[in-house]
PDB file of all heavy atoms in Angstrom:
ATOM      1  N   GLU A 871     134.412  82.894 139.939  1.00  0.00           N
ATOM      2  CA  GLU A 871     134.021  83.335 138.594  1.00  0.00           C
ATOM      3  C   GLU A 871     133.424  84.734 138.617  1.00  0.00           C
ATOM      4  O   GLU A 871     133.740  85.574 137.780  1.00  0.00           O
ATOM      5  CB  GLU A 871     132.993  82.368 138.003  1.00  0.00           C
ATOM      6  CG  GLU A 871     133.604  81.159 137.365  1.00  0.00           C
ATOM      7  CD  GLU A 871     132.533  80.154 136.959  1.00  0.00           C
ATOM      8  OE1 GLU A 871     131.347  80.526 136.950  1.00  0.00           O
ATOM      9  OE2 GLU A 871     132.896  79.017 136.656  1.00  0.00           O
ATOM     10  N   ALA A 872     132.550  84.945 139.617  1.00  0.00           N
ATOM     11  CA  ALA A 872     131.899  86.260 139.716  1.00  0.00           C
ATOM     12  C   ALA A 872     132.940  87.350 139.929  1.00  0.00           C
ATOM     13  O   ALA A 872     132.865  88.426 139.334  1.00  0.00           O
ATOM     14  CB  ALA A 872     130.889  86.260 140.853  1.00  0.00           C
ATOM     15  N   ARG A 873     133.939  87.063 140.754  1.00  0.00           N
ATOM     16  CA  ARG A 873     134.977  88.060 141.007  1.00  0.00           C
ATOM     17  C   ARG A 873     135.794  88.342 139.761  1.00  0.00           C
ATOM     18  O   ARG A 873     136.166  89.479 139.488  1.00  0.00           O
ATOM     19  CB  ARG A 873     135.915  87.569 142.109  1.00  0.00           C
ATOM     20  CG  ARG A 873     135.289  87.709 143.456  1.00  0.00           C
ATOM     21  CD  ARG A 873     136.231  87.210 144.499  1.00  0.00           C
ATOM     22  NE  ARG A 873     135.513  87.074 145.753  1.00  0.00           N
ATOM     23  CZ  ARG A 873     135.871  86.254 146.713  1.00  0.00           C
ATOM     24  NH1 ARG A 873     136.940  85.485 146.545  1.00  0.00           N
ATOM     25  NH2 ARG A 873     135.178  86.195 147.811  1.00  0.00           N
ATOM     26  N   LYS A 874     136.047  87.277 139.009  1.00  0.00           N
ATOM     27  CA  LYS A 874     136.798  87.430 137.767  1.00  0.00           C
ATOM     28  C   LYS A 874     136.027  88.357 136.831  1.00  0.00           C
ATOM     29  O   LYS A 874     136.589  89.281 136.236  1.00  0.00           O
ATOM     30  CB  LYS A 874     136.996  86.050 137.113  1.00  0.00           C
ATOM     31  CG  LYS A 874     138.182  85.965 136.179  1.00  0.00           C
ATOM     32  CD  LYS A 874     138.418  84.524 135.762  1.00  0.00           C
ATOM     33  CE  LYS A 874     138.190  84.357 134.283  1.00  0.00           C
ATOM     34  NZ  LYS A 874     137.988  82.978 133.867  1.00  0.00           N
ATOM     35  N   LEU A 875     134.739  88.101 136.772  1.00  0.00           N
ATOM     36  CA  LEU A 875     133.880  88.916 135.912  1.00  0.00           C
ATOM     37  C   LEU A 875     133.911  90.369 136.347  1.00  0.00           C
ATOM     38  O   LEU A 875     134.080  91.286 135.537  1.00  0.00           O
ATOM     39  CB  LEU A 875     132.455  88.361 135.972  1.00  0.00           C
ATOM     40  CG  LEU A 875     131.386  89.085 135.178  1.00  0.00           C
ATOM     41  CD1 LEU A 875     131.721  89.065 133.706  1.00  0.00           C
ATOM     42  CD2 LEU A 875     130.035  88.435 135.401  1.00  0.00           C
ATOM     43  N   ILE A 876     133.792  90.589 137.658  1.00  0.00           N
ATOM     44  CA  ILE A 876     133.770  91.960 138.172  1.00  0.00           C
ATOM     45  C   ILE A 876     135.101  92.650 137.916  1.00  0.00           C
ATOM     46  O   ILE A 876     135.147  93.811 137.512  1.00  0.00           O
ATOM     47  CB  ILE A 876     133.419  91.970 139.675  1.00  0.00           C
ATOM     48  CG1 ILE A 876     131.976  91.519 139.859  1.00  0.00           C
ATOM     49  CG2 ILE A 876     133.613  93.352 140.260  1.00  0.00           C
ATOM     50  CD1 ILE A 876     131.648  91.068 141.257  1.00  0.00           C
ATOM     51  N   ALA A 877     136.182  91.902 138.100  1.00  0.00           N
ATOM     52  CA  ALA A 877     137.500  92.482 137.863  1.00  0.00           C
ATOM     53  C   ALA A 877     137.642  92.891 136.399  1.00  0.00           C
ATOM     54  O   ALA A 877     138.285  93.903 136.081  1.00  0.00           O
ATOM     55  CB  ALA A 877     138.589  91.477 138.252  1.00  0.00           C
ATOM     56  N   GLU A 878     137.016  92.122 135.509  1.00  0.00           N
ATOM     57  CA  GLU A 878     137.081  92.453 134.082  1.00  0.00           C
ATOM     58  C   GLU A 878     136.320  93.732 133.740  1.00  0.00           C
ATOM     59  O   GLU A 878     136.601  94.379 132.750  1.00  0.00           O
ATOM     60  CB  GLU A 878     136.477  91.315 133.258  1.00  0.00           C
ATOM     61  CG  GLU A 878     137.446  90.196 132.964  1.00  0.00           C
ATOM     62  CD  GLU A 878     136.745  89.058 132.232  1.00  0.00           C
ATOM     63  OE1 GLU A 878     135.691  89.294 131.634  1.00  0.00           O
ATOM     64  OE2 GLU A 878     137.272  87.935 132.278  1.00  0.00           O
ATOM     65  N   LEU A 879     135.336  94.037 134.580  1.00  0.00           N
ATOM     66  CA  LEU A 879     134.500  95.203 134.304  1.00  0.00           C
ATOM     67  C   LEU A 879     135.234  96.508 134.579  1.00  0.00           C
ATOM     68  O   LEU A 879     134.879  97.553 134.047  1.00  0.00           O
ATOM     69  CB  LEU A 879     133.229  95.162 135.164  1.00  0.00           C
ATOM     70  CG  LEU A 879     132.326  93.961 134.967  1.00  0.00           C
ATOM     71  CD1 LEU A 879     131.191  93.984 135.966  1.00  0.00           C
ATOM     72  CD2 LEU A 879     131.781  93.947 133.558  1.00  0.00           C
ATOM     73  N   ALA A 880     136.240  96.440 135.418  1.00  0.00           N
ATOM     74  CA  ALA A 880     136.986  97.636 135.796  1.00  0.00           C
ATOM     75  C   ALA A 880     137.570  98.279 134.543  1.00  0.00           C
ATOM     76  O   ALA A 880     137.960  97.606 133.608  1.00  0.00           O
ATOM     77  CB  ALA A 880     138.099  97.272 136.760  1.00  0.00           C
ATOM     78  N   GLY A 881     137.618  99.595 134.543  1.00  0.00           N
ATOM     79  CA  GLY A 881     138.154 100.306 133.396  1.00  0.00           C
ATOM     80  C   GLY A 881     137.043 100.664 132.421  1.00  0.00           C
ATOM     81  O   GLY A 881     136.866 101.813 132.066  1.00  0.00           O
ATOM     82  N   ARG A 882     136.244  99.654 132.045  1.00  0.00           N
ATOM     83  CA  ARG A 882     135.147  99.928 131.117  1.00  0.00           C
ATOM     84  C   ARG A 882     133.957 100.556 131.842  1.00  0.00           C
ATOM     85  O   ARG A 882     133.193 101.308 131.271  1.00  0.00           O
ATOM     86  CB  ARG A 882     134.692  98.631 130.458  1.00  0.00           C
ATOM     87  CG  ARG A 882     135.599  98.226 129.313  1.00  0.00           C
ATOM     88  CD  ARG A 882     134.891  97.247 128.428  1.00  0.00           C
ATOM     89  NE  ARG A 882     135.214  95.888 128.817  1.00  0.00           N
ATOM     90  CZ  ARG A 882     134.773  94.811 128.153  1.00  0.00           C
ATOM     91  NH1 ARG A 882     133.980  94.963 127.126  1.00  0.00           N
ATOM     92  NH2 ARG A 882     135.119  93.603 128.533  1.00  0.00           N
ATOM     93  N   HIS A 883     133.772 100.171 133.098  1.00  0.00           N
ATOM     94  CA  HIS A 883     132.644 100.693 133.864  1.00  0.00           C
ATOM     95  C   HIS A 883     133.144 101.167 135.227  1.00  0.00           C
ATOM     96  O   HIS A 883     134.164 100.716 135.707  1.00  0.00           O
ATOM     97  CB  HIS A 883     131.592  99.599 134.101  1.00  0.00           C
ATOM     98  CG  HIS A 883     131.131  98.920 132.860  1.00  0.00           C
ATOM     99  ND1 HIS A 883     130.076  99.360 132.114  1.00  0.00           N
ATOM    100  CD2 HIS A 883     131.602  97.825 132.237  1.00  0.00           C
ATOM    101  CE1 HIS A 883     129.909  98.565 131.080  1.00  0.00           C
ATOM    102  NE2 HIS A 883     130.816  97.619 131.128  1.00  0.00           N
TER     103      HIS A 883
END
Side-chain angles (χ1 to χ4, degrees):
Chain A
E871 277 173 13
R873 283 180 193 155
K874 204 171 115 198
L875 178 61
I876 292 161
E878 276 176 21
L879 300 175
R882 280 199 266 183
H883 306 271

